[in-house]
């Protein structure tokens, strides 16, 4: 079974690492965080309370969403509209973290996530890919970095986009979300018992990708260039 799970907090670099791995291996990619963000975005649009488990579950089961390759990346199409950019705001991230803490909502998104596994293989990016969604995956990575480094990366990203932001505020938001994701009772962010932990604090993206590919060659006996 060709599945690589990469779990970790936001800012650990897993999104970029997963994109590079999926393109190098020619495998499918599941960005599970995007599913939680889409659900949260739809809930905000439809004025569904972020703790209304029943309505959120129905919404999760009926999401009309597609991930469509556009040549350079992937468009996230919700009800016919490309909502990719609208999912990346702090408001949506905060709402996603709230809906993600409800067990029945997570259950409702489970089959949709599992369906991403198709030949020749899958890179699964999230918080509980190795622990809950694909416990059978032969290669599991837990990618972490210090909160200060993750805040610095986010600060650089936002500054490059022309936003005037405070690093102290970003750091405090990161710490708050980490605390919620790691301490929730439902599918908390934690390494699977058989995950390999990589600390990317002082590693480049290329160095992380190289480490994962070494593991893939070893465990899956794949020839990767
Ligand atoms: O990775 P991200 O920032 O796009 O994730 C958005 C939110 O969804 C984040 O608060 C954690 C949550 N999430 C989750 O609970 N389980 C996943 N597999 C992926 C994301």
């Amino acid at each position: 079974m060709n599945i690589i799970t990469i779990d970790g907090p936001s800012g650990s670099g897993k999104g970029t690492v997963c994109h590079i791995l999926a393109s190098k291996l020619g495998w499918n990619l599941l960005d599970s965080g995007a599913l939680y963000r889409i659900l949260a975005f739809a809930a905000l649009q439809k004025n569904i309370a972020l703790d209304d488990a029943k309505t959120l579950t129905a919404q999760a089961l009926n999401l009309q969403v597609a991930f469509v390759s556009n040549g350079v990346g992937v468009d996230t199409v919700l009800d016919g509209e490309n909502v990719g950019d609208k999912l990346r705001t702090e408001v949506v991230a905060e709402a996603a973290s709230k809906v993600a803490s409800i067990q029945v909502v997570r259950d409702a998104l489970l089959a949709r996530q599992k369906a991403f596994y198709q030949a020749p293989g899958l890179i699964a990016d999230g918080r509980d890919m190795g622990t809950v969604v694909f416990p059978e995956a032969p290669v599991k990575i837990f990618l972490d970095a210090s909160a200060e480094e993750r805040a610095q990366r986010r600060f650089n990203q936002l500054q490059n986009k022309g936003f005037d932001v405070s690093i102290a505020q970003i750091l405090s938001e990161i710490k708050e979300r980490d605390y919620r994701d790691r301490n929730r009772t439902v599918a908390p962010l934690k390494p699977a018992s058989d995950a390999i932990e990589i600390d990317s604090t002082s590693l480049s993206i290329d160095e992380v990708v190289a480490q994962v590919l070494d593991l893939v060659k070893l465990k899956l006996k794949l020839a990767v260039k």
Side-chain angles (χ1 to χ4, degrees), residues 86-195:
K86 296 183 181 163
L87 300 179
R88 297 283 136 206
T89 67
E90 273 308 311
V91 174
V92 172
E94 178 75 16
S97 166
K98 287 185 182 150
V99 300
S101 66
I102 306 173
Q103 179 71 62
V104 283
V105 169
R106 304 191 71 87
D107 293 345
L109 289 175
L110 195 59
R112 200 183 279 267
Q113 295 178 77
K114 285 183 180 288
F116 275 79
Y117 176 64
Q118 282 170 15
L122 177 69
I123 311 290
D125 167 350
R127 304 290 192 290
D128 62 342
M129 298 295 100
T131 49
V132 177
V133 182
F134 299 109
E136 70 281 28
V139 180
K140 297 181 186 178
I141 309 290
F142 191 85
L143 189 58
D144 210 342
S146 70
E148 287 70 19
E149 173 65 20
R150 289 184 289 126
Q152 185 67 50
R153 290 174 188 171
R154 183 79 183 134
F155 176 76
N156 295 346
Q157 244 176 17
L158 290 171
Q159 254 204 344
N160 284 340
K161 286 187 187 166
F163 290 106
D164 181 20
V165 283
S166 125
I167 192 154
Q169 167 152 13
I170 294 174
L171 180 59
S172 104
E173 280 167 4
I174 281 186
K175 285 186 169 167
E176 196 182 310
R177 200 165 328 134
D178 272 5
Y179 184 84
R180 188 157 55 219
D181 289 344
R182 289 180 203 259
N183 291 287
R184 67 186 179 205
T185 47
V186 174
L189 171 64
K190 64 167 188 209
S193 56
D194 50 350

Side-chain angles (χ1 to χ4, degrees), residues 33-45:
L35 286 177
Y36 289 97
R37 285 175 186 262
I38 290 162
L39 177 60
F41 177 76
L44 292 171
Q45 268 199 328

